[in-house]
Amino acid sequence: MRPADRTFRKTLALAAVSTLLLAQAPAARGGFRQAAAFKISSLGTPFGVQVEVEGTYVVTDHYVELDVDKAYIYVSEHCPYKGRRLINTLDVGLAKTSARGGWVIENRSLPLPVEQVLGPREEYRLAGLHFQIPRDADTDIEQRWLVVETEEVDLDAPNDEDGGKGYAFAHSCRNLFASPCVEHKR
């Protein structure tokens, strides 16, 4: 065998092995998945501020990325506080079960400023939002779910209350990443 043939065969074999390793890399790392749809809603719950968020997510080694097609914020008239609310921010986090059986937000996206004043029975709509939630590549993503959090301030609350700052939540099903679901009420 001539030296040129040996060099060519070695190069071809190395290219074939490299191609196989690169093709399997994302699956071996638990890496990239196709975009999956989600819908999270707290409409009809006791929260004073209720949301419905709809879009798609992609899980990568270091992030859960969400593209939100539609976000709807509604202030309920069925809660004790009947005044105006300043909806400060909206963010999305990864939740996990806590040691006591409840849940805790482990990581969250940067908050999106909303800065809208809404009274009871008023609504605000957003579209075309993007959230990026950091995550550790070793995290068992199938044991996590999405939580949407709004930060609000009660503008007409009596002065003796502690600033009137509050939070409202909406979450996906707890097996969202193990078996994607689309929910209407949750």
Side-chain angles (χ1 to χ4, degrees), residues 2 31 38 46 55-56 59 61 71 77 88 104 117-119 141 143 157 168 175 182:
R2 296 183 317 197
F38 74 92
T56 58
V59 178
D61 284 341
E77 69 275 17
N88 273 336
V104 62
V117 175
L118 300 174
I141 193 68
Q143 299 298 314
N175 65 343
V182 176

Side-chain angles (χ1 to χ4, degrees), residues 104-167:
V104 62
I105 296 177
E106 181 176 58
N107 292 349
R108 66 184 70 227
S109 68
L110 291 174
L112 172 82
V114 177
E115 300 177 353
Q116 288 293 312
V117 175
L118 300 174
R121 301 179 75 184
E122 291 184 331
E123 60 188 57
Y124 185 67
R125 295 179 186 270
L126 299 138
L129 309 176
H130 182 80
F131 295 95
Q132 193 174 47
I133 308 167
R135 76 175 202 92
D136 185 351
D138 297 332
T139 300
D140 183 0
I141 193 68
E142 292 185 357
Q143 299 298 314
R144 306 298 189 269
W145 60 93
L146 296 173
V147 175
V148 178
E149 177 183 83
T150 56
E151 178 188 274
E152 64 197 69
V153 176
D154 298 342
L155 295 175
D156 302 322
N159 290 334
D160 59 334
E161 293 185 24
D162 62 350
K165 187 184 228 181
Y167 300 89

Side-chain angles (χ1 to χ4, degrees), residues 50-69:
Q50 300 170 13
V51 298
E52 185 167 88
V53 178
E54 190 173 341
T56 58
Y57 69 85
V58 175
V59 178
T60 70
D61 284 341
H62 300 288
Y63 296 97
V64 174
E65 300 205 29
L66 296 115
D67 287 315
V68 175
D69 300 324

